[in-house]
Amino acid sequence: ETGVTQSPTHLIKTRGQQVTLRCSSQSGHNTVSWYQQALGQGPQFIFQYYREEENGRGNFPPRFSGLQFPNYSSELNVNALELDDSALYLCASSSSGTGSSGELFFGEGSRLTVL
Amino acid sequence: GESVGLHLPTLSVQEGDNSIINCAYSNSASDYFIWYKQESGKGPQFIIDIRSNMDKRQGQRVTVLLNKTVKHLSLQIAATQPGDSAVYFCAENAARDDKIIFGKGTRLHILP
């Protein structure tokens, strides 16, 4: 158990719809990173939030957006869903500002299927 | 550019034997290299990391080796157990800010 919880665990959407995925970070962690993991692939970095501000973004279009709240929980929003957005979306929390090595604590993910 | 890759997508090892999972990287500026384990239906789990100024680090039943000359990283698992069955990802922390870049993964099969 990492203490990181994600919801929903599974969901099905159709092309063009919008989706919001939620993540509660581990207690004491101020940083949340979101990853997209397609089947058989490694997680791809979407973006990171640190103290409610976006702190870096991977190669994802603007229709992928996020929020971090004062309690450090976070949301990932995806607009105008495409078939290729079908994937496991992983949230990871960490405590930045310490020159940390990269130990991320992952949730179990939200499996999104776009039809 | 940044990229982390793996030599073999699947590795089968007899239970009790040692496993060696290899990984190549291209970003010489990475500060840390990390190994994650992902079991079916779960998120990745941190195993061990190594700082770029080290060449070996040992944990419980695991050892990570870093060869900066050939940009190669390996994970050695001693006395492989059925619970070690998973996909293993090498990753790198290029910017010291927890932006971890993952490779494609190696699936480890444990043979009885």
Side-chain angles (χ1 to χ4, degrees):
Chain A
E1 288 293 330
T2 64
V4 178
T5 58
Q6 293 187 243
S7 64
T9 55
H10 295 82
L11 70 167
I12 300 173
K13 293 284 189 178
T14 56
R15 276 187 303 174
Q17 285 190 312
Q18 179 266 345
V19 67
T20 297
L21 308 177
R22 295 178 176 83
C23 173
S24 294
S25 57
Q26 188 183 102
S27 177
H29 285 179
N30 56 17
T31 301
V32 171
S33 302
W34 285 92
Y35 288 81
Q36 180 195 67
Q37 186 175 25
L39 202 60
Q41 301 292 318
Q44 298 295 308
F45 176 74
I46 304 175
F47 43 54
Q48 181 185 87
Y49 279 83
Y50 172 64
R51 293 185 175 179
E52 303 179 57
E53 297 286 333
E54 186 177 293
N55 182 40
R57 188 179 185 93
N59 189 26
F60 281 82
R63 59 190 185 84
F64 285 77
S65 63
L67 284 173
Q68 187 179 33
F69 300 99
N71 66 354
Y72 302 133
S73 66
S74 178
E75 286 183 355
L76 164 65
N77 298 290
V78 187
N79 294 322
L81 283 167
E82 301 177 0
L83 296 179
D84 284 349
D85 296 333
S86 295
L88 180 69
Y89 288 85
L90 293 160
C91 167
S93 76
S94 58
S95 185
S96 285
T98 60
S100 59
S101 65
E103 182 173 2
L104 300 177
F105 296 82
F106 282 88
E108 299 200 341
S110 293
R111 171 74 62 188
L112 171 65
T113 301
V114 182
L115 302 177
Chain B
E2 297 177 4
S3 69
V4 180
L6 293 172
H7 295 305
L8 295 173
T10 305
L11 177 66
S12 296
V13 176
Q14 206 76 35
E15 183 179 347
D17 287 353
N18 297 335
S19 301
I20 300 176
I21 303 172
N22 296 303
C23 175
Y25 65 91
S26 62
N27 186 358
S28 299
S30 292
D31 198 32
Y32 279 94
F33 298 89
I34 313 116
W35 283 99
Y36 280 85
K37 171 186 180 182
Q38 188 173 25
E39 296 175 277
S40 182
K42 296 187 177 181
Q45 177 186 8
F46 174 89
I47 302 173
I48 191 168
D49 61 17
I50 186 167
R51 197 160 187 175
S52 59
N53 62 357
M54 299 170 66
D55 53 21
K56 181 178 180 179
R57 189 173 184 211
Q58 288 184 295
Q60 187 178 13
R61 269 200 319 120
V62 295
T63 301
V64 57
L65 299 177
L66 176 63
N67 185 332
K68 293 181 285 295
T69 302
V70 295
K71 298 183 180 178
H72 184 266
L73 185 71
S74 69
L75 176 70
Q76 300 178 3
I77 305 173
T80 311
Q81 303 169 357
D84 295 328
S85 288
V87 177
Y88 290 81
F89 294 98
C90 63
E92 57 187 317
N93 180 346
R96 256 195 177 188
D97 55 5
D98 301 337
K99 296 186 187 67
I100 309 300
I101 307 301
F102 284 80
K104 289 189 174 65
T106 294
R107 181 172 298 280
L108 180 63
H109 284 294
I110 312 303
L111 303 171

